[in-house]
Every structure is written in structure tokens, then in C-alpha cells.
Amino acid sequence: MKTLAHKQDSLLIVYDADTIQHPGTFLFDRGYWVKQGSVTGEAAGRGKALLLDTDFGQAVLRQYLRGGWAAKASRDQYVFSGFGNSRPMMEFAILEQLCEAGLPAPRPIAAMCAREGALYRGWILMRMIPEAQPLADLVGARRDDAELWREVGACIRRFHDHGLVHADLNARNILVGPDNGVHLIDFDRARLRKGDSRAFASNLKRLKRSLHKVWPEPDRQQLPWCWLRLQEGYDQPGAVS
């Protein structure tokens, strides 16, 4: 992956030059992709990220948006403290490191930080993980699949052993492919902190709370069994490959 930067006036774009030859703001423009007929859907979650089918393959475009009380002040603007400190640039850099390490995370394509005085807006464009579904959508049908739950645990362990602390490890930010291939997504505000066992334990607690929320009520008694299988995958020797 060859990462380059394109700076123009008050905006900065970083991009994978092996994928993008002519970077520009159009890459992050919803209207542009609609006109191209490239939009194939929207992903669930804050901001409803666009799913795209482009000349360079399937991709996901996400704008950085606020939630909760902060959205009342501004839905899509953040305080600017330097391009390198902006959320899109930081997430692009994290994703680049994770992919170079061979971890199952989306490959970044481009990110943009557009400064507007003391504030900025941000976007990120990433490779789509094909034929993958959120773990949250599978808990009912796959509650007896011990292999799946061990794979989920082993995947999380790989990221933790690399030092990755996820900012929001929930059942929607874990994707499962048709072959039980597990990926993590959404690395906004993630950080690398080797050996931070307290933060890693907090990640797992956050995931367990998330599973409680999405677990079908009639099958609630199966959740502890599934969590034990996940923990086995996380704890087993050789979880990191």
C-alpha cells in the first residue's frame, strides 16, 4: 500500500495511490456516487454509511457524525487541532497499520479532513468486506455454533495482542463471512496501547453488554454458553496467528 497526501487550501486527503490515481473531494460526495449509479445500499448505524460498487471495487463511505448530546451542538463538525489529530486521519493511520500487520480489518482507500475555521468535517473511504454480516444479526441462527464463537474470541485476541484498544467493540462492529472469517470494523477513536489489560477487559465487557441487548429473548439461556466458547477462543494458546 502506497499512501500519499493531497493538500488543497483548507483540506487534506490521504489516499492509497495503488487504488486512487486522481484524488479529489468527489470521492467523499454522496451526490457524486449517486449520479454514478454506484450506491448499492446503506449500512446500519450512525450516519448510515454508503455501500458502493466502484471502478476500484466495493467500498464503504462513512462521514464522521456525532451522536447523543453532542449532536445538538453540531451533527458533523469537530474542533480542529491539526490535520494529524483529526478523526479521519487517525483512523486511516490505524487501519493502515492493522492491515500491514495482517489483521482482519478493512483496508483504507482514502480519508479527508476539511477545515472550516476552528472546526472540521471528516470522511473515510474503505474497502468493503464482501459477503459479511454483523454478529448482531447472526446470534439467533448461530447460537449453537461453537466454532463461530471461538473464532470471534480468537479474532479479538489477535487485535489485543497487537495492542489495539477498540473504542466501541459491540456486536455490530464484528463482521462474519460465509466461511466464519471474522473481521473487526469501525476504528474511529481506536488506539494502540500494548499490554493494556484493563482496556482489553473493558472491550470484552462492552461486547458482552452489547450481546445482551441484541440476544433474542426466547434463547437468552444460550448466551452464557456462547460467551464461554468466545472466551475459550480468546484464551486459547495460538489465538494469534
Side-chain angles (χ1 to χ4, degrees), residues 134-169:
L135 180 63
D137 294 344
L138 299 174
V139 293
R142 306 288 295 277
R143 62 187 182 279
D144 297 324
D145 190 339
E147 179 187 357
L148 168 62
W149 293 100
R150 291 190 185 103
E151 288 290 339
V152 170
C155 176
I156 296 169
R157 177 63 181 271
R158 290 182 63 191
F159 282 90
H160 283 174
D161 280 353
H162 188 72
L164 190 284
V165 179
H166 200 287
D168 187 19
L169 188 62

Side-chain angles (χ1 to χ4, degrees), residues 56-85:
F56 48 80
Q58 293 182 316
V60 178
L61 173 63
R62 190 180 83 236
Q63 183 178 7
Y64 291 83
L65 297 174
R66 293 179 180 275
W69 65 267
K72 296 179 181 178
S74 176
R75 178 71 167 145
D76 63 355
Q77 290 182 306
Y78 300 85
V79 175
F80 183 82
S81 61
F83 286 108
N85 295 326

